[in-house]
């Protein structure tokens, strides 16, 4: 059995810490190939904080985005899927624009992953009826891959494609009855409750050239989350947050397999440009969703704002990622617009309490990293990944190429930061960890995956 298949969240937290991080890098100009980079995150290493591995893909312009493992701790609850030889070994990396899927083998040398398979976009379309793969999670029956678009790549419905754990073949469309669901983004689950939850962004034509102001102000982006029967792929319930709460994106269920709650981050409210975090939970025989965190917009000089924001005279927080520590104690909220990472104590998930904040980048603030105090930063905390023991948080600064350009028109650059956390609450920036710009060969960086698993890649089956 793979030792990184952890029976419980506590076992995962007690395992040896990560020494490598895998980070996707993409070229917005499509002049260079996108790549999977490897970062040394072992503080005792001479190459700590440096790029130590780099594997390119054969195509250009694909925009590598979210990615994940072929198998993880949820394998301990597989039914009808053989376990012999199954291991957390392969990283499946989709191109959000190209719809190609790339499979990297992290063995025998984890610092030098090798590209072992490419699944063409035509295969994804033919076998599952989807395009624009976005997020994937290893789970029961196979790898679940959410997709934003239908077969023509420009409209929906979006949904979930199911891939084989071993061959990486596209098996089928997961949904058997999608009910009212049309828009897609993320999907996660409560394994012990046989429940999958999905969220909404927009179709490819709504997002690929940037945020469309007319669609946003007309509340046309996603504003609901959906609950499904995990075993059958049947839609059970749609919960509308309110049409003004545009783009509920990242889903973070409790790691406690017996719990029935989790969080979803909402990018923006069209009423006041605030962002928010909502909690879903059981309410009798159905599911309910409550807003538990509001992050207000910050007033700003219009002269300092990009064209899209000048009429408003304010910077929206733009909550574009959230992450929940493996012990379910702290929730981290990235406010990409204002350049802030917030930490909340969520031991009572209905009543989060803010316990820490750091500022890096931001549309107006451009707060510098301590390693380069005279260098204003573009972008802001965007993708957030937490170590299994909860002591380290890793950040990258790019959201999505066209949206980067819209909100940071003078360039977003590329940087990665490491944050140290206090078990009692609070955060500090690691002053010695700051790979940026040419360290990534001029490419932008997005999602992070940690060797041996991390806070957002595993489901635990046992207490």
């Amino acid at each position: 059995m793979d030792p990184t298949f952890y029976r419980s969240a506590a076992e995962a937290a007690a395992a040896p810490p990560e020494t490598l991080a895998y980070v996707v890098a993409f070229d917005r100009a499509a002049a260079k190939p996108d790549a999977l980079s490897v970062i040394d995150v072992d503080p005792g290493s001479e190459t700590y904080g440096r790029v130590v591995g780099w594997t390119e893909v054969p195509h250009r312009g694909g925009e590598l985005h979210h990615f994940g493992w072929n198998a993880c701790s949820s394998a301990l609850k597989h039914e009808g899927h053989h376990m012999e030889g199954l291991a957390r070994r392969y990283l499946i990396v989709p191109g959000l624009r190209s719809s190609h899927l790339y499979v990297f083998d992290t063995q025998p040398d984890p610092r030098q992953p090798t590209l072992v398979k490419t699944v063409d976009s035509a295969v994804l379309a033919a076998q599952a009826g989807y395009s624009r793969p976005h997020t994937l999670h290893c789970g029961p029956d196979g790898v679940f891959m959410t997709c934003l678009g239908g077969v023509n790549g420009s409209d929906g419905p979006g949904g979930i494609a199911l891939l084989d754990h071993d061959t990486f073949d596209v098996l089928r469309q997961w949904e058997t009855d999608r009910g009212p669901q049309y828009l897609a983004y993320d999907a996660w689950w409560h394994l012990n409750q046989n429940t999958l939850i999905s969220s909404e962004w927009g179709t490819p034509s709504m997002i690929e050239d940037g945020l469309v102001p007319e669609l946003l102000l007309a509340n046309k982006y996603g504003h609901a989350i959906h609950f499904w029967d995990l075993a059958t792929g049947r839609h059970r319930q749609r919960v509308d947050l309110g049409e003004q709460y545009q783009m509920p994106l990242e889903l973070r269920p409790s790691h406690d397999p017996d719990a029935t709650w989790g969080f979803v981050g909402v990018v923006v409210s069209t009423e006041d440009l605030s962002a928010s975090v909502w909690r879903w939970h059981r309410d009798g025989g159905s599911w309910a969703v409550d807003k538990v965190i509001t992050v207000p917009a910050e007033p700003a000089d219009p002269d300092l704002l990009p064209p899209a924001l000048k009429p408003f005279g304010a910077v929206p927080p733009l909550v574009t990622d959230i992450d929940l520590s493996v012990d379910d104690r702290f929730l981290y909220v990235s406010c990409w617009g204002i350049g802030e990472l917030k930490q909340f104590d969520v031991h009572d998930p209905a009543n989060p309490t803010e316990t820490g904040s750091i500022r890096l980048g931001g549309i107006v603030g451009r707060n510098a990293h301590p390693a380069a105090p005279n260098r204003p930063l573009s972008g802001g905390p965007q993708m957030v990944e937490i170590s299994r023991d909860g002591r380290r948080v890793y950040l990258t600064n790019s959201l999505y190429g066209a949206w980067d350009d819209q909100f940071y028109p003078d360039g977003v650059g590329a940087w990665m930061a490491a944050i140290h956390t206090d078990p009692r609450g609070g955060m500090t920036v690691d002053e010695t960890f700051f790979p940026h710009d040419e360290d990534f060969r001029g490419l932008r960086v997005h999602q992070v995956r940690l060797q041996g698993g991390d806070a957002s890649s595993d489901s635990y089956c046992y207490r």
Side-chain angles (χ1 to χ4, degrees), residues 290-377:
D290 312 311
K291 184 166 67 166
V292 293
I293 296 170
T294 299
V295 184
E298 297 185 352
D301 182 345
D303 290 341
L304 301 177
L305 297 174
L309 295 178
K310 285 184 183 297
F312 302 101
V315 181
L318 300 177
V319 165
T320 50
D321 195 18
I322 62 174
D323 207 359
L324 180 63
S325 61
V326 167
D327 62 2
D328 292 337
R329 174 67 186 277
F330 291 104
L331 182 73
Y332 295 85
V333 178
S334 65
C335 304
W336 186 67
I338 58 177
E340 182 179 20
L341 178 71
K342 288 178 173 288
Q343 179 197 61
F344 292 88
D345 185 327
V346 292
H347 76 276
D348 176 2
N351 296 286
T353 302
E354 186 169 348
T355 49
S357 168
I358 61 102
R359 294 256 180 170
L360 291 170
I363 291 171
V364 171
R366 304 297 170 102
N367 295 279
H369 190 283
N374 297 319
R375 178 193 181 94
L377 284 185

Side-chain angles (χ1 to χ4, degrees), residues 2-6 11-13 15-22 69 71-73 88-89 91 106-107 110 388 449-455 457-458 460:
D2 186 325
T4 74
F5 290 174
Y6 311 109
E11 184 178 307
E18 71 283 355
T19 60
L20 296 174
Y22 297 94
W69 296 102
C72 59
S73 300
R88 188 197 306 268
R89 173 171 177 171
L91 286 168
T106 64
Q107 299 296 330
R388 294 181 306 280
R449 283 284 173 232
L450 302 181
Q451 185 183 36
D454 45 58
S457 63
D458 279 49
Y460 304 106

Side-chain angles (χ1 to χ4, degrees), residues 174-379:
W174 174 75
E175 299 87 354
T176 59
D177 178 4
R178 70 174 64 253
Q181 180 269 328
Y182 189 83
L183 301 177
Y185 182 81
D186 195 8
W188 254 114
W189 44 65
H190 294 299
L191 285 179
N192 287 8
Q193 282 72 45
N194 186 39
T195 297
L196 180 141
I197 307 100
S198 67
S199 60
E200 302 182 335
W201 189 9
T203 63
S205 63
M206 297 170 69
I207 64 105
E208 63 186 358
D209 295 322
L211 180 68
V212 182
E214 294 80 11
L215 294 178
L216 177 68
L217 296 177
N219 298 322
K220 296 298 186 182
Y221 287 92
H223 47 84
I225 61 174
H226 302 263
F227 296 86
W228 307 73
D229 185 299
L230 178 59
T232 67
R234 292 183 173 274
H235 189 278
R236 294 302 186 205
Q237 186 181 353
R238 176 182 184 270
V239 180
D240 195 329
L241 308 185
E243 65 175 12
Q244 71 271 37
Y245 295 109
Q246 292 281 283
M247 295 173 281
L249 298 185
E250 304 294 343
L251 300 164
R252 303 298 181 216
S254 168
H255 296 89
D256 179 348
D258 294 330
T260 55
W261 59 266
F263 297 106
V264 58
V266 173
V267 175
V268 68
S269 166
T270 53
E271 287 186 332
D272 56 12
L273 296 186
S274 66
S276 52
V277 177
W278 299 61
R279 174 189 65 121
W280 73 77
H281 57 97
R282 282 279 194 189
D283 183 13
S286 61
W287 297 89
V289 184
D290 312 311
K291 184 166 67 166
V292 293
I293 296 170
T294 299
V295 184
E298 297 185 352
D301 182 345
D303 290 341
L304 301 177
L305 297 174
L309 295 178
K310 285 184 183 297
F312 302 101
V315 181
L318 300 177
V319 165
T320 50
D321 195 18
I322 62 174
D323 207 359
L324 180 63
S325 61
V326 167
D327 62 2
D328 292 337
R329 174 67 186 277
F330 291 104
L331 182 73
Y332 295 85
V333 178
S334 65
C335 304
W336 186 67
I338 58 177
E340 182 179 20
L341 178 71
K342 288 178 173 288
Q343 179 197 61
F344 292 88
D345 185 327
V346 292
H347 76 276
D348 176 2
N351 296 286
T353 302
E354 186 169 348
T355 49
S357 168
I358 61 102
R359 294 256 180 170
L360 291 170
I363 291 171
V364 171
R366 304 297 170 102
N367 295 279
H369 190 283
N374 297 319
R375 178 193 181 94
L377 284 185
S378 290

Side-chain angles (χ1 to χ4, degrees), residues 6 45 51 56 67-68 95 99 106 125 146 155 223 242 255 262 276 301-302 316 323 340 348 362 381 398 425 431 433:
Y6 311 109
S45 170
V51 177
E56 295 179 343
F67 66 110
S99 298
T106 64
T146 65
D155 62 3
H223 47 84
H255 296 89
S276 52
D301 182 345
D323 207 359
E340 182 179 20
D348 176 2
S398 169
E431 299 186 7
F433 186 102

Side-chain angles (χ1 to χ4, degrees), residues 10 16 27 111 120 125 130 181 188 221 231 259 314 318 342 390 412 416 420 428 436:
D27 182 25
R111 289 184 170 222
D120 191 85
Y130 290 131
Q181 180 269 328
W188 254 114
Y221 287 92
L318 300 177
K342 288 178 173 288
V412 76
M416 182 179 178
H420 297 294
T428 56
H436 61 280

